[in-house]
Amino acid sequence: MKPFALPLGAALIAALATTAPNAEAFCRLTTCNPDEPGAMCQTDASGCITQGDPLFYSTGCISFAVARGDAKALNLTDEEFHDVVLEAFASWQGVDCGGNQPPGFTVSSAGIVDSKGKFFCKDNPELNVGVWGLLSEWPHSQTSLGFTTSTFETKHGEVFDADVELNLGKIVNSSFPIAAMRQVVLSIVTHEAGHVLGLAHSDGLDAVMAASYNPSDLLDRPLTPDDVAGICAIFPPGGGPEACPVPGVSDAALNAGACAESALPPEESSCSVGPRAPGGAERSAGYKGLIALTLIGAALARRSQRRTACPQGKARA
C-alpha cells in the first residue's frame, strides 16, 4: 500500500497514462432525478439513467472555492484542504484522452471564502462559484461521506453551480490514523469532483466513481480506465476553452442573507425546484457521494443505497 504522502504523479501515473477503454461502465448525470417525487427515470443494463439530457457546462471553465472553517479537525489547515481539492481536480484534468491530449476543461480557484451555506444566486449567475465545505452537523444520510448539489437548467441540463459538502464527523470518527487523513480526504474529494464534473456512479468496482467500496481503499484510490473514459466523454480533448476568466465571488453568491430569494432551504437534502425566469427553471439536485464506513468486512455494498439522491439510479452509499 502506498503511503499517504506519495506525490500525485506517483500515485496516479498508471491511470493517467491510460486511454479510454472500449468497455464503458461509467454513467453521466442527467436532468432526470429518480428521487424527485413522481419521477420514473429509465435506466440501461448498467443502471445508468438514459432519460433526460446529460448535465454539461456551457464552457469548459469551472471554478471552485473552499469555505473557511473546520479543516483543523482533519489535521489540515484551510489552505491545505484547498490544495487537496485542487489536487483532486488536477487528477481529472491530467488524464490522457488519447494522443497525450487532456480532457477539454479548465479548473480555476477563487481561494478560501467565508461562506454561509450552499446555494445558487440567480441574480448574479456569473459570480457563483462551487463552494466546498466541511459540515459538523450533517443533514444528509449518515452513511455518506460527501454530498454534491448541482444547480442546472431543467430544459437542457446546463450546469450553473455545483457545491460540495463533506461529512466532517463521519471522517473524523473513522478508524483512519490522523497521519493518513490527507489521503483519505483526497480520495473522497476526488470522487466528489467527479460528480461536479458531471459523472454519476459507475458500475466499475474499482472506479473512483463507484458508489461504495471498502474503507481501506480510501488510502489508495487512483483513477481507473473507466473513470478516464467518463471524463473524456464529457469533455472531449480539443474542446476546451483557450482562456478562462479569473473566477470572481460576490457576497451574494456566498451569503443567504444577501441573496435570500435564491437560497436553498437547509432542510432539503436532495433537490429543490424554483422559478428562474420566464421559460425556465433551476433545479438543485443532490448527488450523494461515496460510501459509508460501515461496510462489512471487505465486501462492497453494491446496490444498497452522491447519495440518497444520485440521479443514476444505481448503487447508493
Side-chain angles (χ1 to χ4, degrees), residues 213-229:
Y213 40 85
N214 192 293
S216 63
D217 292 339
L218 295 176
L219 297 173
D220 184 15
R221 195 73 177 183
L223 297 176
T224 66
D226 180 62
D227 297 310
V228 173

Side-chain angles (χ1 to χ4, degrees), residues 132 145-146 166 171 183-193 213 218 290:
W132 292 64
L145 293 175
L166 299 187
I171 300 171
Q183 180 59 44
V184 170
V185 174
L186 177 60
S187 295
I188 299 169
V189 167
T190 302
H191 178 100
E192 296 303 326
Y213 40 85
L218 295 176
L290 103 110

Side-chain angles (χ1 to χ4, degrees), residues 274-289:
R276 175 169 184 250
E282 295 157 1
R283 174 168 62 180
S284 298
Y287 300 122
K288 186 162 162 196

Side-chain angles (χ1 to χ4, degrees), residues 131-208:
V131 177
W132 292 64
L134 296 160
L135 273 62
S136 54
E137 295 184 10
W138 189 246
H140 311 296
S141 169
Q142 294 304 307
T143 63
S144 62
L145 293 175
F147 196 95
T148 297
T149 300
S150 293
T151 303
F152 56 88
E153 170 59 63
T154 57
K155 284 191 173 182
H156 50 69
E158 179 183 354
V159 177
F160 302 115
D161 186 40
D163 299 311
V164 179
E165 300 162 300
L166 299 187
N167 188 345
L168 182 62
K170 187 78 172 179
I171 300 171
V172 170
N173 294 324
S174 67
S175 59
F176 296 109
I178 196 67
M181 197 57 70
R182 187 186 189 281
Q183 180 59 44
V184 170
V185 174
L186 177 60
S187 295
I188 299 169
V189 167
T190 302
H191 178 100
E192 296 303 326
H195 284 313
V196 170
L197 294 168
L199 285 168
H201 287 147
S202 170
D203 248 6
L205 294 176
D206 297 326
V208 163

Side-chain angles (χ1 to χ4, degrees), residues 239-255:
E242 293 184 3
C244 291
V246 176
V249 184
S250 71
D251 188 54
L254 302 172
N255 187 334

Side-chain angles (χ1 to χ4, degrees), residues 25-170:
F26 71 86
C27 299
R28 291 189 62 170
L29 298 174
T30 78
T31 55
C32 189
N33 185 351
D35 295 285
E36 185 176 326
M40 298 182 64
C41 301
Q42 298 176 353
T43 61
D44 61 19
S46 297
C48 297
I49 297 285
T50 58
Q51 191 172 344
D53 295 315
L55 299 193
F56 72 96
Y57 291 86
S58 60
T59 70
C61 297
I62 299 169
S63 61
F64 78 94
V66 167
R68 198 183 316 276
D70 298 317
K72 58 181 179 297
L74 300 174
N75 201 34
L76 299 171
T77 64
D78 290 333
E79 290 77 15
E80 288 171 332
F81 178 55
H82 168 274
D83 290 347
V84 168
V85 177
L86 195 63
E87 184 174 331
F89 276 120
S91 68
W92 289 105
Q93 285 182 277
V95 305
D96 180 7
C97 293
N100 294 318
Q101 296 187 76
F105 70 93
T106 297
V107 175
S108 302
S109 169
I112 299 170
V113 298
D114 293 310
S115 177
K116 303 300 182 182
K118 61 169 178 107
F119 66 97
F120 173 79
C121 184
K122 63 177 180 291
D123 290 341
N124 295 278
E126 72 282 358
L127 293 180
N128 281 281
V129 64
V131 177
W132 292 64
L134 296 160
L135 273 62
S136 54
E137 295 184 10
W138 189 246
H140 311 296
S141 169
Q142 294 304 307
T143 63
S144 62
L145 293 175
F147 196 95
T148 297
T149 300
S150 293
T151 303
F152 56 88
E153 170 59 63
T154 57
K155 284 191 173 182
H156 50 69
E158 179 183 354
V159 177
F160 302 115
D161 186 40
D163 299 311
V164 179
E165 300 162 300
L166 299 187
N167 188 345
L168 182 62
K170 187 78 172 179

